[in-house]
Amino acid sequence: MALDKYGIAQRIAQELQDGYYVNLGIGIPTLVANYIPENMQVFLQSENGLLGMGPFPTEENVDADLINAGKQTVTTLAGASLFSSAESFEMIRGGHIDLTVLGAMEVAQNGDIANWKIPGKMVKGMGGAMDLVASAKNIIVAMRHTNRKGESKLLPSCSLPLTGLGCIKKVVTDLGVFEIKENAFHLLERAPGVSVQEIREKTAGALVASDDCPEMKLA
Amino acid sequence: MNKVVANAQEAIQGIEDNMTLMLGGFGLCGIPENAISALVQAGMKNLTCISNNAGVDDFGIGLMLQQRQVKKMISSYVGENAEFERQLLSGELEVDLVPQGTLAERIRAGGAGIPAFYTPTGYGTEVAEGKECREFDGRMYVMEMALSADFALVKAWKGDKHGNLVFKGTARNFNPMMAKAGKITVVEVEQLLEPGELHPNEIHVPGVYVQRIFQGVDYEKRIEQRTVRQA
């Protein structure tokens, strides 16, 4: 069975390492925070100026002056720091963040990503996405494998306006985990119960997949 | 020297039609609420507003949009505002979308005496169209220009009468860079203090950048996404 959004987040959490500084985008990426292993210290960065972001506050601790990049009220953990937007993007652009997880509308087999604009629709803006993909050391895309029409979001090349060029190394979808290299999506793991055949059928971009590809293990 | 003004109305003296303003804040967090109210009352038109977001329909810069005071927005994300969308689609409003980190750095550069800089952000995308691109150490970068403004409207938590500022939480966001990039920087604070009441070690923005400061009133601090967990 294909993963739901929690399953995708849970699988991505397996990519975390102790001491990582991580920026989680809005949507499925935010859910990754729920699956950080207990024996691991991971620092969450919110690009509006917070490192060491904690969970949502209890009702009595809500502070209008403390929000995340999704404009949700949050808390700080012990050892957190606060800073300006310019400093926040120094961390991001300067390559000091170990891992960025973000959503996408399309990913191409050469690592291009499109996630900010659909021609003909109201454009809301790219926010910090272009900065995040321009220089992160390690970027994982979390998204559904297909769009609402059932069309593959893993493509030979992006059709939508790009957010960044050749920057995506790994994609986790509801169907599997893919590494992008040598101009192809390499299937590393398939979601529990999902066949390699189904993944082949639903992937429009070049796919390298062996029939004995392992199934991912979720706790 | 006296930087202290009585209220927002006095603080925005000199802002005229067609000027360029910077307004601090991320979403509705850390926005200059008092200065925005005064601008809405005063009714200047054809303003260019540099601000990460454009408020919501009935708060923040959204109030200025309702009065059709804004000609152009320079922002990174403008998603939460139906009136904004209407004016944009009808051609009444111009918008220049800038990646958030590039926006922050262009403002920082504007205050720091740096006319332009190279950034990897946006290379190969439509953001880079028409801009000079250059290779350094095997990677491609886009040249981006500094931003400055006739007035910067800044919100701080505490400030002293010399204009030294301290911010709270994530209400800092774009405020420090804007404080430095305004030809005239107007700051509203929740606590206006005497010089010496802030320890020099704790000051986020030195007063040299600040021309006017006033004690703000009646902060609403509206929350866009009130998310809580069970105790």
Side-chain angles (χ1 to χ4, degrees), chain A residues 57-107:
Chain A
T58 55
E59 189 62 50
E60 62 275 20
N61 286 320
V62 167
D63 180 356
D65 291 324
L66 197 60
I67 63 171
N68 65 17
K71 286 126 187 169
Q72 297 170 312
T73 45
V74 293
T75 53
T76 54
L77 296 178
S81 55
L82 295 155
F83 37 84
S84 73
S85 300
E87 173 133 24
S88 181
F89 284 94
E90 287 169 16
M91 293 176 197
I92 290 166
R93 240 189 281 100
H96 307 281
I97 301 297
D98 296 294
L99 174 65
T100 290
V101 183
L102 77 177
M105 299 172 187
E106 297 179 342
V107 178

Side-chain angles (χ1 to χ4, degrees), chain B residues 37-38 40 82 124 136 143 221 226:
Chain B
S37 296
V40 169
F136 295 91
M143 190 175 84
K221 295 197 183 182
R226 189 185 191 89

Side-chain angles (χ1 to χ4, degrees), chain B residues 115-133:
Chain B
F117 58 90
Y118 289 93
T119 176
T121 302
Y123 175 72
T125 75
E126 63 185 59
V127 161
E129 282 170 16
K131 292 175 186 163
E132 182 188 324
C133 294

Side-chain angles (χ1 to χ4, degrees), chain A residues 29-52:
Chain A
T30 304
L31 300 173
V32 174
N34 300 334
Y35 301 100
I36 299 169
E38 275 182 18
N39 57 353
M40 200 180 275
Q41 191 157 29
V42 169
F43 302 88
L44 298 179
Q45 199 244 22
S46 188
E47 64 265 27
N48 56 321
L50 164 59
L51 191 61

Side-chain angles (χ1 to χ4, degrees), chain B residues 5 18 37 49 53 96 100 121 165 170 179 181 183 186 217 225:
Chain B
V5 294
N18 304 307
S37 296
C49 292
N53 311 92
D96 187 1
Q100 197 176 130
T121 302
L165 307 178
T170 54
K183 292 190 189 102
V186 171
V217 293
Q225 306 277 342

